[in-house]
Amino acid sequence: MKKQRVEQLWETIAYLICGVLTVVVNVATYKLLRLRLNKLPANTTAFFVAVLFAYWTNSTFVFRARRTWKNFLQFMEMRIGTLVIDNGGMYLLLLWGVDEMLAKCVVNGIIIVINYLASKLVIFRKSKGEEKI
């Protein structure tokens, strides 16, 4: 296998592992917060906890990029954009009678795909000649 192909495979596998871990952080935080908060406030708070975790894992293990304020702010902006999808998706699925935890996992799956594309193509994109850390 060519080096570039191996790197792409590693990146994809690492992203999937980190994505699953991010969903675990999101769902566990949500369940914990639901002991005291209503559904959407718990969902929003869990979302931000998971985003901080995702930024760290994506920059460290997946894209092996330097953590800068610029890419942190881009990452946060993109994730805040997906919060609309997260809360909107949760709201609609709950309105349609879908189980709360199933709705949470379905919406997170959709968001993983959107976030991967944004991270790879925009936020952690390498310039020509720029090396991973």
Side-chain angles (χ1 to χ4, degrees):
M1 246 190 208
K2 292 182 179 180
K3 182 181 178 184
Q4 184 179 18
R5 205 173 249 193
V6 169
E7 285 183 13
Q8 180 63 39
L9 181 61
W10 161 253
E11 184 179 278
T12 302
I13 291 169
Y15 189 82
L16 289 173
I17 291 168
C18 292
V20 168
L21 292 173
T22 299
V23 170
V24 169
V25 167
N26 190 317
V27 171
T29 303
Y30 176 79
K31 288 292 276 186
L32 185 64
L33 292 172
R34 280 290 289 131
L35 297 172
R36 299 264 184 216
L37 298 175
N38 290 327
K39 292 173 185 169
L40 290 180
N43 189 57
T44 302
T45 305
F47 175 86
F48 280 105
V49 170
V51 166
L52 292 173
F53 176 80
Y55 177 74
W56 177 72
T57 59
N58 278 251
S59 61
T60 303
F61 302 112
V62 179
F63 301 106
R64 293 178 278 157
R66 294 193 193 317
R67 285 184 289 279
T68 65
W69 280 111
K70 179 183 175 190
N71 66 23
F72 176 74
L73 292 174
Q74 287 178 323
F75 194 88
M76 291 302 291
E77 287 170 356
M78 177 57 202
R79 294 316 198 266
I80 289 169
T82 61
L83 178 59
V84 172
I85 296 168
D86 195 342
N87 278 339
M90 280 288 289
Y91 179 79
L92 285 175
L93 291 174
L94 292 172
L95 187 65
W96 295 336
V98 174
D99 175 75
E100 183 177 342
M101 293 314 296
L102 177 60
K104 184 83 178 128
C105 291
V106 167
V107 170
N108 271 273
I110 293 166
I111 289 171
I112 286 172
V113 173
I114 294 168
N115 288 339
Y116 176 75
L117 293 172
S119 292
K120 177 156 182 69
L121 300 175
V122 178
I123 299 165
F124 297 114
R125 181 184 60 217
K126 297 289 183 204
S127 303
K128 292 233 183 236
E130 185 179 355
E131 293 193 26
K132 296 181 182 208
I133 58 170

